[in-house]
Structures are given as C-alpha cells and as structure tokens.
C-alpha cells in the first residue's frame, strides 16, 4: 500500500477532486454553456491507481477545465487492474455513453497486448492525444548508485539481481524504456528482472523502500520527489535534458536510446457524431486554455495534441509499434 506517499497532485486539485465526488452535478450558466462545452455528469475514468501518470493527467485536466469554466463537476474515479485493461473493458462495455471518458496512454496499448485483452483501443472512440513526456531513470536517495554508468556496470554484472520497477505492464512505456536501455548497454532484454506495478504511485513506494534497484517512470510523476531529494535522477530517456533537472539523457551518456511516452483520452464506442464532437470540443477548448498551458510547464509535459481520426490512426500505429519492438527485443 502507498497511502503514506505524497502524491504530486496539488492540495487544491485534490480538494476539487473530493468536491466533485461528494457534490451532485450542478447545471450552471458559466462560459461552458456559452461555448457548447458543458457536459453535465461527465465522468473521467483512470485505469490505474492514484498517483500515476493517468491519474495526474486526468485530475489536472478536470481541474483546468473547471477553472476555465468549460464544464463543471467532472467526477474523476480510479478503476485499476491488469495494466489498465480492466478499465478498458469497462469503457468498451459502456456503449453509447457520451458522459464517460478514460485517461490512457502507451501503457494501455502494451497491456492490451501482453494481457491478451479481448478488448483493445480499436474498440473505443478516440478523442485526443494530449501530452508527450520522457521517462526518468531514478533510484532512492540512499542508493549506492550515484550515476547512470555506476548503475549500468552493476546491472551488466548480474541483471537478474538488480530488479527494475516500472509503472506499466510488459509492452508499456515503463517496460519498453529499460528494455531498450538494457539492449543499448549490451544486456539481453530477456535477462532483465522487470517488476511491473499498476501505476507510478505503487512503484514509488518500492523505489523508496529499495524493493527494486531502480525505477523507470514518467518525469511528471516524480518531479516533486526528484526536486526534494527523495529520489536521485540518473538519466532521462528522451532526446533532451528536462529543464530544471540535473540529469543527462541516456544518449549523451553513451546509450543509444531515444524514448518518449504519451497520454490521451478515449471514450466508449457507439457515440453519436454530436456526442463525439461535444467531448472533442471540450478537450480542444481545454488544450487552448491558459490553465492547461500552465499545467504543461508545471508537470514537464510536452504538448502533443492530436484529435479524432488522426488520433485513431496514431493508436493503430502504436499497437503495431509495440508488437514490433517486443519482437525485436525477443520478448
């Protein structure tokens, strides 16, 4: 259990989340009604535990949409399990429900494959891709590893004895990143001792408690813990250093890896054109809001906005990519 872990979500955001859970939906005459974005009773599902990337993204989006008066009283709720496929199955089962959406990302693509889920993202209504972010390679503050090279040297000597934790199922971003990192370091990916957790919140406790030798997760999930010194940042997986953080890229450290994760929103199948456009319109207005732009900077997220059929094509391409990378890695 990770109840003691301080989540990245600000107190004000948590207060807003609690408010929407206990207060009945209210019809208001805010600007959401004027712009056509008001969706009374809208619920946003998070398919993993509190504190993870999907959770932070969903609660940030809900808070920003309400602060921008685009809509009101969005209920954010968690339905974890099987790397996000429990939530995915629930979403697909809500056929025609225009007042439900789900926060998701590459992890759900991988989990659907690795868990042989009968439902996939091809069964959903694609709404929008929102963000892209790098993964971080981190250890606890009392870890013996001060640099990425020290960690890799120890890892190469005995891969099985240095477990790496990630907040996604096999095939997800927190699994693919260390596997690509292992291959670049000359370690056979099949020899890596990968320990999956249902989101970054669960993973954090195991890193801090030294249950795993190191962890890989999204930068936005552990930004506060890195800045406070609870976690030591050894490297980032993307093409450039993260502004405000002291940590090299894997590539500049001599490991040929360039990997980023993304997150977005999908809805149940069977929506009418009007329902789909209503949800997409809300997210489009959210994306343009000053509130959301500020949150991108605060969380270290890169803007990766993509909507509708283009997002659907992207999801199909990501599914093929996951299959291809797993095959290439011999996994």
């Amino acid at each position: 259990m990770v109840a003691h872990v301080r989540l990245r979500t600000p107190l004000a955001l948590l207060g807003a989340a609690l408010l929407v859970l206990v207060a009945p939906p209210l019809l208001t005459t805010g600007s959401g009604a004027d712009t056509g974005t008001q969706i009374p009773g809208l619920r946003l599902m998070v398919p993993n535990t509190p504190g993870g990337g999907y959770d932070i993204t969903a609660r940030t989006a809900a808070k920003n949409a309400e602060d921008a008066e685009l809509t009101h009283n969005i209920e954010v709720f968690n339905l974890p399990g099987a790397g996000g496929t429990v939530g995915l199955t629930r979403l697909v089962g809500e056929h025609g429900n225009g007042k439900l959406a789900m926060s998701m990302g590459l992890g759900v693509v991988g989990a659907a494959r690795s868990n042989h889920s009968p439902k996939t993202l091809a069964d959903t209504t694609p709404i929008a891709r929102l963000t892209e972010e790098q993964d971080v390679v981190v250890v606890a503050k009392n870890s013996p590893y001060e640099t990425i090279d020290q960690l890799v040297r120890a890892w190469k000597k005995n891969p099985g004895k240095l477990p790496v934790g990630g907040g996604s199922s096999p095939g997800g971003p927190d699994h693919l990143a260390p596997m690509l990192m292992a291959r670049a370091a000359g370690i056979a990916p099949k020899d890596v001792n990968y320990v999956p957790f249902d989101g970054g919140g669960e993973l954090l406790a195991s890193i801090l408690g030294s249950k795993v030798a190191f962890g890989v997760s999204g930068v936005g999930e552990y930004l506060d813990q890195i800045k406070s010194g609870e976690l030591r940042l050894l490297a980032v997986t993307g093409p450039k250093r993260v502004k405000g953080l002291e940590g090299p890229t894997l590539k500049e450290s001599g490991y040929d890896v360039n990997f980023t994760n993304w997150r977005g929103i999908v809805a149940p199948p069977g929506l009418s054109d009007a329902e789909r456009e209503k949800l997409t319109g809300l997210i489009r207005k959210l994306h343009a809001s000053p509130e959301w732009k500020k949150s991108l900077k605060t969380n270290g997220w890169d803007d990766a906005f993509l909507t509708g059929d283009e997002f659907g094509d992207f999801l199909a391409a990501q599914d093929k990519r996951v299959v291809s990378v797993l095959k290439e890695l011999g996994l």
Side-chain angles (χ1 to χ4, degrees):
M1 298 295 292
V2 293
H4 64 287
V5 177
R6 178 171 59 82
L7 300 182
R8 166 149 179 74
T9 313
L11 290 176
L13 195 157
L14 284 174
L18 290 172
L19 179 62
V20 301
L21 287 172
V22 299
L26 298 175
L27 293 176
T28 73
T29 56
S31 61
D34 300 331
T35 58
T37 57
Q38 190 70 234
I39 306 177
L42 177 62
R43 306 178 77 217
L44 188 52
M45 183 198 305
V46 176
N48 63 8
T49 53
Y54 302 149
D55 188 68
I56 294 170
T57 302
R59 295 186 187 278
T60 300
K63 177 71 163 52
N64 288 170
E66 292 179 6
D67 286 349
E69 297 189 334
L70 298 174
T71 192
H72 299 270
N73 298 309
I74 302 173
E75 179 190 337
V76 181
F77 68 100
N78 297 78
L79 186 63
T85 55
V86 169
L88 175 62
T89 300
R90 163 73 179 276
L91 186 82
V92 174
E94 294 277 343
H95 190 277
N97 185 351
K99 295 189 176 185
L100 178 66
M102 185 177 83
S103 174
M104 47 69 71
L106 179 57
V108 177
V109 179
R113 279 289 175 182
S114 61
N115 294 329
H116 306 290
S117 172
K119 304 299 181 185
T120 71
L121 289 165
D123 298 312
T124 69
T125 298
I127 300 300
R129 184 183 69 189
L130 292 173
T131 63
E132 188 175 57
E133 72 170 344
Q134 305 195 48
D135 267 2
V136 290
V137 181
V138 292
V139 295
K141 63 182 179 182
N142 58 351
S143 168
Y145 308 115
E146 299 277 350
T147 68
I148 188 67
D149 285 332
Q150 287 178 359
L151 171 65
V152 171
R153 280 197 295 270
W155 199 21
K156 288 178 75 171
K157 285 181 182 177
N158 199 332
K161 286 194 174 179
L162 261 74
V164 49
S168 59
S169 296
D174 299 351
H175 171 251
L176 293 178
M179 293 303 167
L180 292 169
M181 178 178 152
R183 184 180 66 175
I187 300 168
K190 62 182 177 59
D191 293 337
V192 173
N193 181 6
Y194 177 74
V195 183
F197 293 84
D198 206 353
E202 285 192 358
L203 169 63
L204 180 57
S206 289
I207 301 173
L208 294 175
S210 300
K211 303 294 184 184
V212 293
F214 65 104
V216 178
S217 194
V219 61
E221 296 174 69
Y222 293 160
L223 206 55
D224 280 353
Q225 288 80 13
I226 293 170
K227 288 183 175 180
S228 71
E230 292 177 77
L231 292 177
R232 181 183 300 143
L233 173 63
L234 300 185
V236 298
T237 65
K240 59 185 179 181
R241 292 190 177 209
V242 175
K243 189 175 181 180
L245 294 182
E246 292 296 326
T249 67
L250 286 172
K251 196 143 191 170
E252 71 180 274
S253 302
Y255 308 101
D256 191 13
V257 176
N258 183 354
F259 181 87
T260 55
N261 185 19
W262 56 268
R263 295 193 181 94
I265 302 287
V266 294
L271 300 192
S272 67
D273 289 345
E275 288 172 324
R276 175 174 173 169
E277 183 52 40
K278 189 88 168 179
L279 274 170
T280 305
L282 169 61
I283 300 302
R284 195 177 286 120
K285 290 281 188 180
L286 169 68
H287 172 255
S289 71
E291 290 83 358
W292 179 252
K293 293 180 189 301
K294 182 179 179 181
S295 291
L296 289 175
K297 291 181 181 179
T298 301
N299 289 284
W301 297 334
D302 292 322
D303 188 10
F305 196 59
L306 194 66
T307 60
D309 291 340
E310 288 184 327
F311 180 41
D313 292 341
F314 172 79
L315 290 177
Q318 287 290 287
D319 184 55
K320 290 179 181 177
R321 176 195 177 203
V322 166
V323 173
S324 174
V325 172
L326 289 175
K327 185 176 181 181
E328 183 184 333
L329 293 173
L331 301 170

